[in-house]
Amino acid sequence: MRIPVLSLLLLALAGTAAAQNAKPQPEMMDEVIVTAPRNGEPDFQEAQEYHQKEYQRLHAMFGKELPAQPRGDQVFAAGGAMTGPNDRSAARDQVQNAPRLRDTFSGN
């Protein structure tokens, strides 16, 4: 029994069409967002908590630090306190009340 060539050709075409239809569709992948610290560095909150604990430990050992003496550049940076361009009375008062240079550099 001989199968005609035309039927073999039809079977081959049907097989390739079925193979094309049976290709698996690519699966939809869920997007996963990974949040991790960069370069192994702590984030702002971790650094802030560490520094707060360290300050508490140092304050317990040595006490609170004294308030800083005003510096010259802070004394003369009083432009915001002036009410007008020709009113420098507040700046004059700050300059007159500023600590003297010998008091600033002394080890007191």
Side-chain angles (χ1 to χ4, degrees), residues 71-85:
R71 297 174 15 167
D73 58 346
Q74 294 171 343
V75 171
F76 289 111
M82 296 181 207
T83 57

Side-chain angles (χ1 to χ4, degrees), residues 3-90:
I3 300 178
V5 176
L6 184 60
S7 63
L8 285 177
L9 188 59
L10 287 174
L11 283 175
L13 287 175
T16 56
Q20 287 178 352
N21 291 339
K23 281 185 183 176
Q25 297 295 327
E27 293 182 19
M28 296 299 293
M29 301 289 279
D30 289 334
E31 196 170 310
V32 177
I33 299 173
V34 177
T35 305
R38 295 182 183 172
N39 300 330
E41 297 176 3
D43 62 354
F44 176 77
Q45 183 177 359
E46 290 175 358
Q48 188 70 16
E49 289 172 356
Y50 170 77
H51 288 119
Q52 193 65 30
K53 288 178 188 174
E54 190 67 15
Y55 284 134
Q56 288 174 356
R57 184 182 72 82
L58 292 174
H59 289 165
M61 287 173 61
F62 302 110
K64 296 245 179 186
E65 59 187 78
L66 298 174
Q69 293 288 333
R71 297 174 15 167
D73 58 346
Q74 294 171 343
V75 171
F76 289 111
M82 296 181 207
T83 57
N86 296 324
D87 179 23
R88 290 179 169 61
S89 60

Side-chain angles (χ1 to χ4, degrees), residues 67-76 94-108:
Q69 293 288 333
R71 297 174 15 167
D73 58 346
Q74 294 171 343
V75 171
F76 289 111
Q94 283 185 343
V95 170
Q96 289 174 354
N97 297 331
R100 302 292 174 233
L101 188 61
R102 66 177 172 267
D103 298 334
T104 306
F105 283 117
S106 67
N108 298 339

